[in-house]
Amino acid sequence: MAPSPPTLEGTCKLLPAPAPGSDVFATVAAEYAALADEYGPRNVLVLKRHPAGLDSLTEALADADRERADSGPRSPRIESLPEHASKTIEEHDPTLDRLEYEERIELISLVIDGASRDVPDYLERAAAHESFTRDVGQLLLAATRQRIRLDDLEDPHDCLAFLYAMNDRFHAELDERGYVERADVVPRAVDLLEADADGLRTRVTASFDAVLAVEFEEYRRLDRRYLAALTRDAELVCLGERHASVERTRVESGSVDEIAADAGLAVEPLEPETVRATDATSPHQPIARFLATGESPEKPADADSMGRARRIRTGTAREQARAVATEIQSLRDRHGWSYDEFAVAVPRIERVPETRRRLRDAGVPTATIGTPSLAEDPAVNELYAVVTCQCERERDGDALERREDAATQGAGDSRAVSLDRLRARVPDFSPELLADTAGSSVRHSLERWIRRTDLKGRIAREEEWVDAREQYEGIRRVLEIADFVEETDLVGPDWQGLRRMLRRTIRYDAPYVHAVETRPPTGGVTVCAIDDLKYDSRTAVFLLDLIDETYPGEQFLTQLFPQAWLRQMAAYPAVTDPSLEAITDTFVTADAADVGDPFETYHAHRSRRRFALGARAADRLLYCCSYERGAGGLRRSYDESRYLQLIDATPGLTLEDVDTHADATIHGETNAIEALLAQPRGELERVLREASTGGEADLGETEALFEEIAVVLEEGDVDADLADAVRSQFEFAAGEVVRDD
C-alpha cells in the first residue's frame, strides 16, 4: 500500500518555464528578500534540493543582501536539504558516524559474501561484467533513498528480491555498528523529526521562522515529508520551475503543479525577475524554451530575431574536444573573456576526466576539481605499492631484499610490479626505506612514508595544480581508509587488512562520485556533467556529445537489467511502466498520439529536458557539439541528436555552423605550435602535388614562408626545443632524416 502524500502548509510559486540562470537567481533573491524583511535574515532558512549550484545561489543572495545595506548587513542561511538533514541527525546523536564511500564498499561486499539466500542465476552471470558492482551499488543507493524494503513489496522480481534482501541486511549491520550511510540520511531524519525524538523537532526548528524551499520541482516524496516535519510552526514558501524536473521525474511521474497541489500547497504562478530587457544578448534562450516546453517561437521579423545557437560537428570525439578548445581560445582573443567564464558539459560524470585531459592537451586550462577513480591516481598507486611491499615484509622480512637481488625475475608478480613502481617514482628507493617507515600503526607508517619521500612535494613540483589537488585528495582518502582499518572489526588492523580494503575500493571505485568543485579560486574552464549546470550560468556553454546515442540515448536507468525486464519491474526504484496519462502530465513536450514504447518515450523526454536545462545555463553563447563516429576498428557512425535535428527543422530557430576546418584561423598557443610544425612538410607536399599533376607552383611564395619561419626562429623569443622541432620537420620533409619505425 502506497504511503499517503505528505501534507504541507504554505505557498508554492512556480515560474512558467526554465528561465535564464540570472533570472532564476534574481527571482530567488526577491522571494528571499521579502521573507527576510518580514522575519529577519537570520530567521529565514533557504533549502535547496541538490548541492550542485549551491555556491552560485549563495553568491546571488549575498549580492542581494549587500544591495539592501540600508536594512543592515545580512548573511543568508542556505543549505542543501541533504546537508540540513545530516545536521539534524547529528543533533539527535552526535556519536553517529556517517559511512564513507570506501567503507560502504567493504561492508556491503562482506554482507553479500555472507548471503544465505541463493543468488539468482542471472546475477551470477551478470557479475562477470565490469560495471556490475557499480550498477548494483547505484540501484541499492536509490532503494535506500526511497526507503524501499523487501518486506513492503508484493511479489518482486527474483533479482530485486535478492538485492533488496542484501540491502536490508546491510542496513541492519549499520544499525548494529552505529553507522548511517549518506543515502539513508534523509529517510532517517524524516523518522526522527516526525517522531519528535527527544524533542528534536523543537530544537531544530527553534532557530528559524520561515523556510524558502528552492528547486521544489526536484523534491521527492521523502524530501517533502522532511519539509513538512520541518515547517509545522514556520511559514513555508516553495519556489519551483515548471518543465524543469529531471531527478524527481526519474522516480516519480507528474508535473510540479500536481505534486504541489497534492501536498496541500497553494499554487501561484510567478513571473521571473528579469535582469535583461530582451533575448538579444542570449539569442539561444528560445531554443532552451522550445526544448523544455515545445513552445515554438513566433515568426521572427528578421534573421536577427531568430533563436540561434552555434553548432560544432566533427569527425570524432577527440576532434570535438580540439574544436571546442580552439573556439574557446578564439572567444578569449575576440572578447577578452577569462577561462572561468566558460563551461563544457558532458552527458555523464564519467566523461569528465577524459574531456578535461583533452582540453588541457589542447592548451586550455581547466578548473574542475573532483576525485577521479582511485585506479587512475598515481599517488594512490604509489601508496598501494607501499602497502603491498609492507605485506611482503610482514610475511617474510627478507623477501624484498631477495627480490631486489633478482629484480628481473617474476616480472608479472604483484610485489615485483610494486617494487618497480616505487623505484620509478621515488628517488634513491631501497627496501630499507620501507623498513624505516614501517611501524605498529598502518596510518602512521603511511604518514612517515609521505614525509620521508616528500610525496606531496613531488606532486606539487611535477603536476599541474588541478592534478595536484586531486592527488592530495587521493592521499587523504587512503589515510582515511587506514584509519577505518585500525578502528573496525571488518578487516584486520594490519597491512593485510589495509591491502584487502584498498584493493576492493580501487577496483569498485567510480570516477568523480565524490565532491566536485567547479569554481576554484585559481580559475579555468569548468568541465562537468550537464546536470550540474542547472543552477549555474556561464558566459559561454559548450554541450558535448549531442548524438542520438546520448540524447535521448538507448540505455535508460541502468545497464544491470534488460530494458524489457525493467518494464515489468514495478519494484525497481524508478519509473518503469508509465501510463499515457502519466507521460503527458509529466512532459508537455509529449504527444499521446506519438507514444510508441511508453518506457522509452518517458525517459527520452527526460533527456530532452536535461538538454534544455544545460542550454539555459549559457548567458551569451551556446554551442551544440557532436561528432560523426567513434574510435576503434569498426569506427561506428553516429546520428546527430534528434533534438538538434528538430531545432533545425523548427521555423524561428537556427544552428550556425562553426568552421572547424584545419586551415581555419588559429587560436591558442598549442594550436599555433602544431600549425607551425606542420608548415614545412605541408608546403613541400603542396609543391610536389603541383609538379606531379603538371601544374605550376609559386616557389616564391614557399620561399617567403620559409624565410619568415627562419627569421622567427633566429630572432624571436622561441623556446630552443621548439626551434629544434621545427628544424627537424624541414629535415624530415627534405628526406634528410629517415625514422626507423
Side-chain angles (χ1 to χ4, degrees), residues 293-294 579-598 601-602 605 608:
T293 67
S579 64
L580 286 179
E581 183 181 8
I583 295 172
T584 54
D585 286 349
T586 307
F587 302 104
V588 69
T589 51
D591 186 341
D594 295 333
V595 174
D597 183 316
T601 300
Y602 183 92
H605 281 277
R608 174 174 173 164

Side-chain angles (χ1 to χ4, degrees), residues 73-93:
R74 291 178 175 174
S75 178
R77 297 174 56 186
I78 307 177
E79 295 182 76
S80 68
L81 187 141
E83 179 186 12
H84 191 273
S86 179
K87 291 180 179 179
T88 297
I89 291 176
E90 291 174 359
E91 175 73 23
H92 178 256
D93 184 359

Side-chain angles (χ1 to χ4, degrees), residues 334-406:
R334 281 182 282 158
H335 303 292
W337 295 341
S338 63
Y339 281 116
D340 56 10
E341 292 182 75
F342 298 89
V344 177
V346 293
R348 303 178 311 279
I349 198 73
E350 290 83 4
R351 286 273 287 121
V352 167
E354 178 188 5
T355 303
R356 196 187 69 179
R357 174 179 55 78
R358 286 178 173 172
L359 289 175
R360 290 168 58 192
D361 288 347
V364 173
T366 59
T368 302
I369 299 172
T371 305
S373 171
L374 289 179
E376 301 170 359
D377 191 317
V380 171
N381 284 325
E382 177 180 324
L383 294 179
Y384 182 70
V386 170
V387 173
T388 300
C389 291
Q390 294 290 15
C391 286
E392 182 79 346
R393 286 189 64 258
E394 197 172 57
R395 186 185 63 82
D396 181 351
D398 298 326
L400 294 182
E401 286 76 2
R402 291 197 299 272
R403 288 182 184 276
E404 280 283 288
D405 295 338

Side-chain angles (χ1 to χ4, degrees), residues 59-182:
E59 184 179 331
L61 296 195
D63 288 344
D65 277 348
R66 282 191 289 270
E67 291 175 2
R68 301 172 62 87
D70 57 313
S71 58
R74 291 178 175 174
S75 178
R77 297 174 56 186
I78 307 177
E79 295 182 76
S80 68
L81 187 141
E83 179 186 12
H84 191 273
S86 179
K87 291 180 179 179
T88 297
I89 291 176
E90 291 174 359
E91 175 73 23
H92 178 256
D93 184 359
T95 66
L96 199 64
D97 288 330
R98 281 182 296 185
L99 198 69
E100 295 297 333
Y101 181 79
E102 300 82 5
E103 299 161 2
R104 183 182 189 276
I105 290 174
E106 184 66 25
L107 185 53
I108 201 167
S109 297
L110 291 173
V111 168
I112 293 176
D113 290 345
S116 58
R117 296 172 64 103
D118 291 335
V119 181
D121 292 341
Y122 174 81
L123 291 180
E124 281 202 289
R125 294 192 300 271
H129 291 274
E130 181 181 354
S131 65
F132 174 78
T133 302
R134 193 173 305 166
D135 293 336
V136 168
Q138 291 173 346
L139 187 154
L140 296 186
L141 286 173
T144 299
R145 290 190 180 103
Q146 297 174 53
R147 187 57 67 81
I148 297 177
R149 298 188 178 96
L150 179 59
D151 291 343
D152 298 332
L153 303 176
E154 295 182 8
D155 193 26
H157 189 281
D158 287 348
C159 292
L160 289 180
F162 174 82
L163 294 173
Y164 289 162
M166 293 304 99
N167 203 37
D168 291 346
R169 184 180 167 196
F170 169 62
H171 284 95
E173 287 282 341
L174 292 185
D175 292 340
E176 284 186 15
R177 297 170 184 273
Y179 289 119
V180 59
E181 71 163 327
R182 295 181 185 276

Side-chain angles (χ1 to χ4, degrees), residues 21-22 24-30 32 46 48 51-68 74-79 214 340-341 517-521 526 535-539 619:
S22 53
V24 173
F25 290 148
T27 303
V28 176
Y32 165 74
V46 181
K48 184 179 179 299
L54 196 64
D55 291 343
S56 299
L57 181 59
T58 302
E59 184 179 331
L61 296 195
D63 288 344
D65 277 348
R66 282 191 289 270
E67 291 175 2
R68 301 172 62 87
R74 291 178 175 174
S75 178
R77 297 174 56 186
I78 307 177
E79 295 182 76
V214 179
D340 56 10
E341 292 182 75
E517 179 185 353
T518 56
R519 283 188 182 269
T526 291
Y535 261 73
D536 208 343
S537 60
R538 302 299 164 100
T539 303
D619 278 343

Side-chain angles (χ1 to χ4, degrees), residues 33-44 208-211 234-236:
L35 291 173
D37 285 342
E38 182 173 356
Y39 296 102
R42 298 305 298 168
N43 295 323
V44 178
F208 57 82
D209 298 317
V211 173
E235 180 177 351
L236 172 62

Side-chain angles (χ1 to χ4, degrees), residues 18 284-293 611-613 615-617 622 653:
H284 54 277
Q285 289 302 332
I287 292 177
R289 285 196 296 271
F290 170 71
L291 289 169
T293 67
F611 184 1
L613 293 172
R616 73 99 174 255
L622 171 67
L653 303 178

Side-chain angles (χ1 to χ4, degrees), residues 12 216 255-267:
C12 181
F216 184 73
S255 67
V256 64
D257 300 72
E258 295 172 338
I259 296 296
D262 289 346
L265 293 170
V267 179

